[in-house]
Amino acid sequence: MRGRGGATMAGRALRALPRLKPLNRLQVTLQHLKMSNQTDSAAEVLLEKRGCAGVITLNRPKALNALNLSMIQQIYPQLKTWEQDPETFLIIIKGTGGKAFCAGGDIRAITEAGKVGDKLTQDFFRGEYRLNNAVGTCKKPYVALIDGITMGGGVGVSVHGHFRVATEKTLFAMPETAIGLFPDVGGGYFLPRLKGKIGYYLALTGCRLKGRDVLKAGIATHFVESGKLPALEKDLIALKSPSKENIADLLNSYQSTVDQEKEFVLDEHMEKINSIFSANSMEEIVKKLKQDGSPFAMKQLEKGHDFYEGVRAVLIDKDQSPKWKPPALEEVSDEFVENCFKPLGNDDLKL
């Protein structure tokens, strides 16, 4: 639709300039199309200074606000600028559309590029991880309003910040293992730091947590009713030269008691999770699950070669039958695992 709209507007521009030489007319057309593309690209993420805050709005609602390379390349420098700006006291990140904060990275596009050797794949992950690190090291208080679906890449631009505000609509997961990828975006850092072995469980199974359970698991720092987020955002923006403590006090004042007495969804399984997922290798975890034999343990064993095959099976062909290489855990050698973590030389990520 954008292409047709752009072409139509370019045509009008041409008809309106009949006396221009052909070369000038071409330059006008190209400039117009360039401006159209910039507008379309900028619309995917909105970066605004409002009151005391820098506000990042992920604006791809039809794609559940999934991150693409263009968005990442716009957010990173702006985040760094706000971090140094004496008039910016906090940073807020949110999503549009009401369904998702951010459902992940645009891995379908990354997969198609990777299959044909396009460097988009490398550029995307390099940019994404650099952004995740910028969030985690940001000197200004960072408030993520994780209302709705928050998975994968969406976790990466929220969980490393100072404050993560969940709502009754929040749906959290690290589903990367379903597509043959490790829990990325810094998952290897924050997941093991959750209480007990729940982080290992979430990483290996892709288990989904909803609403207040996201707070109870220690992923969110606050729980606020979704309908009150606009008021919360307005109050955050209106703060005068706030400290981190001032921001925490305001967030605390919005804390909701909805579902407060409801038992954490994994409470009944925590003893098994802490025992089984404390093993030192994947083989040991599988062995413990088999030995346990409970319905809970058997369900975990249902989870299943590489990233592209996983994306094909889950997101493209949707046959849910990935053909892993190697096909069985027993065939994964120590050498294969070590190879995944070898230095990349000049291609190593420099933060």
Side-chain angles (χ1 to χ4, degrees):
M1 291 297 288
R2 289 175 181 168
R4 288 200 294 271
T8 301
M9 293 173 73
R12 289 175 187 156
L14 279 174
R15 287 194 294 273
L17 297 164
R19 295 192 180 119
L20 285 180
K21 292 180 181 179
L23 180 60
N24 287 346
R25 290 170 64 184
L26 178 61
Q27 287 173 335
V28 169
T29 303
L30 290 174
Q31 181 63 28
H32 173 81
L33 290 173
K34 183 179 178 183
M35 290 170 64
S36 296
N37 288 338
Q38 288 174 340
T39 303
D40 290 344
S41 177
E44 294 174 338
V45 57
L46 309 175
L47 303 164
E48 306 166 278
K49 179 69 194 308
R50 296 170 56 195
C52 70
V55 182
I56 303 165
T57 306
L58 308 178
N59 192 36
R60 296 182 71 205
K62 290 181 179 178
L64 299 178
N65 298 322
L67 291 171
N68 60 29
L69 182 58
S70 170
M71 295 164 75
I72 290 166
Q73 290 174 334
Q74 291 175 70
I75 295 169
Y76 179 82
Q78 186 62 72
L79 181 60
K80 287 296 187 181
T81 298
W82 282 334
E83 188 177 21
Q84 300 301 322
D85 177 21
E87 298 302 312
T88 302
F89 291 87
L90 76 148
I91 293 160
I92 299 169
I93 186 167
K94 61 179 182 173
T96 58
K99 290 184 179 180
F101 163 67
C102 174
D106 196 350
I107 54 175
R108 186 166 183 163
I110 298 164
T111 298
E112 295 303 321
K115 282 182 175 179
V116 295
D118 193 302
K119 65 191 290 283
L120 169 66
T121 304
Q122 277 185 315
D123 291 344
F124 176 85
F125 284 114
R126 184 183 299 276
E128 182 182 34
Y129 296 161
R130 197 166 67 136
L131 176 57
N132 299 153
N133 181 71
V135 170
T137 58
C138 188
K139 295 180 178 67
K140 300 289 174 72
Y142 186 97
V143 182
L145 306 179
I146 54 173
D147 188 34
I149 301 167
T150 304
M151 296 184 181
V155 176
V157 292
S158 59
V159 77
H160 303 295
H162 303 96
F163 304 105
R164 290 88 63 190
V165 182
T167 74
E168 72 280 5
K169 291 163 60 179
T170 302
L171 177 62
F172 166 93
M174 295 293 287
E176 286 91 322
T177 50
I179 55 169
L181 184 65
F182 58 89
D184 68 337
V185 296
Y189 178 84
F190 83 86
L191 288 167
R193 286 165 171 76
L194 299 179
K195 62 182 179 181
K197 296 297 177 182
I198 188 173
Y200 293 82
Y201 170 73
L202 294 173
L204 293 171
T205 65
C207 172
R208 299 181 174 194
L209 296 177
K210 298 177 181 178
R212 185 174 284 277
D213 286 332
V214 180
L215 174 68
K216 290 183 176 180
I219 295 156
T221 58
H222 294 79
F223 183 79
V224 175
E225 291 167 56
S226 180
K228 294 184 178 179
L229 287 185
L232 170 60
E233 183 183 345
K234 187 177 179 181
D235 285 349
L236 282 169
I237 288 166
L239 290 171
K240 303 299 180 186
S241 306
S243 64
K244 187 177 175 181
E245 289 70 30
N246 297 146
I247 294 165
D249 288 342
L250 178 58
L251 292 172
N252 290 339
S253 74
Y254 270 85
Q255 285 272 44
S256 171
T257 57
V258 172
D259 294 334
Q260 195 168 25
E261 302 305 316
K262 193 175 178 181
E263 188 179 83
F264 178 45
V265 69
L266 293 175
D267 260 354
E268 62 178 307
H269 305 300
M270 280 311 300
E271 190 175 335
K272 287 185 185 295
I273 288 171
N274 288 334
S275 172
I276 293 169
F277 288 85
S278 64
N280 291 322
S281 71
M282 194 64 220
E283 289 86 350
E284 285 184 58
I285 291 173
V286 170
K287 183 180 177 181
K288 283 192 170 194
L289 286 168
K290 289 177 178 176
Q291 287 174 343
D292 184 273
S294 66
F296 170 78
M298 292 298 102
K299 185 177 180 183
Q300 310 320 311
L301 286 169
E302 291 173 9
K303 292 289 289 178
H305 54 114
D306 59 19
F307 173 68
Y308 301 134
E309 173 61 12
V311 173
R312 180 204 64 75
V314 176
L315 294 175
I316 299 176
D317 297 337
K318 299 182 180 179
D319 57 26
Q320 308 299 325
S321 300
K323 295 173 178 61
W324 305 117
K325 293 179 184 178
L329 178 63
E330 295 77 19
E331 297 178 40
V332 180
S333 66
D334 290 344
E335 290 77 18
F336 176 84
V337 175
E338 289 297 326
N339 192 52
C340 292
F341 295 95
K342 70 179 181 181
L344 298 176
N346 291 334
D347 288 332
D348 266 339
L349 178 61
K350 296 173 181 65
L351 299 170

